[in-house]
Amino acid sequence: AGTTRFNGGTVTSSTTMNLQGGTVEGTGTLTASVNNSGGTVGPGITAGQLNQTGNYTQGSGSAFNAQIGGLTVGTQYDRLALSGAATLGGALNISLINSYEPNLDDTFQIMTFGSRTGDSTTVTGTTIGNGKFFQETIGPTSVTLVVVSVLPTSTPTATITPTPTVTATLTPTATVTPTSTA
């Protein structure tokens, strides 16, 4: 429990650090493998980059918080930069800061790693507003958020308009031929 806050420094451990609760945040370097089974990792205090040398495991009861406040990594949006393997699970929580509204096609690489297995179980904060949202794109060495337009949530329904059918009706016409009587 509690908060471990980096302020540009370095923390080194020869054993795996187990994060079972509380928060690790700030900007600096962590030299150790981390097993996050129930805590929260949030680079920066407002926005920043947390560097980690080692492997990172994020379990189902844990979270990664990413703040987006501009296009510059480390000062306007968060990144966790890992040198080792990432095993992802748990929650990805996205939040906008500093009244920032990103544009369509803006990208934010919020996590980098040497290799990856898994994905976040839940993602919150994807709705930006004004017809935009964050789409999570997971690659072999990164997690990137891309701003896309909102897709329709309903399928258009076809309206069928009946076309009148014309039926021809024949009316017999009588021809009168005068006959003379003599």
Side-chain angles (χ1 to χ4, degrees), residues 4-6 9-13 17 28-32 51 53:
T4 301
R5 182 171 289 152
F6 285 82
T10 300
V11 172
T12 301
S13 175
M17 297 179 71
T29 302
L30 176 59
T31 304
N51 300 305
T53 301

Side-chain angles (χ1 to χ4, degrees), residues 6 9-17 24 28-35 41 49-57 79-86 112-115:
F6 285 82
T10 300
V11 172
T12 301
S13 175
S14 59
T15 62
T16 298
M17 297 179 71
V24 173
T29 302
L30 176 59
T31 304
S33 289
V34 173
N35 181 10
V41 172
Q49 179 166 310
L50 183 59
N51 300 305
Q52 182 192 337
T53 301
N55 298 324
Y56 177 75
T57 300
R79 178 184 290 164
L80 177 60
L82 308 167
S83 68
T112 60
F113 29 76
S115 64

Side-chain angles (χ1 to χ4, degrees), residues 166-181:
V166 177
T167 306
T169 304
L170 298 176
T171 305
T173 307
T175 304
V176 178
T177 307
T179 32
S180 62
T181 39

Side-chain angles (χ1 to χ4, degrees), residues 1-5 19 21-24 40:
T3 300
T4 301
R5 182 171 289 152
L19 182 59
T23 303
V24 173
T40 300

Side-chain angles (χ1 to χ4, degrees), residues 59-70:
S60 62
S62 62
F64 176 75
N65 293 345
Q67 299 178 47
I68 311 291

Side-chain angles (χ1 to χ4, degrees), residues 63-118:
F64 176 75
N65 293 345
Q67 299 178 47
I68 311 291
L71 295 172
T72 307
V73 67
T75 58
Q76 294 181 315
Y77 77 90
D78 289 339
R79 178 184 290 164
L80 177 60
L82 308 167
S83 68
T87 303
L88 301 179
L92 168 59
N93 302 316
I94 306 163
S95 61
L96 292 171
I97 58 172
N98 303 326
S99 302
Y100 178 68
E101 184 178 328
N103 295 308
L104 287 175
D105 299 322
D106 283 352
T107 60
F108 306 91
Q109 193 175 54
I110 59 170
M111 191 180 286
T112 60
F113 29 76
S115 64
R116 173 202 55 87
T117 57

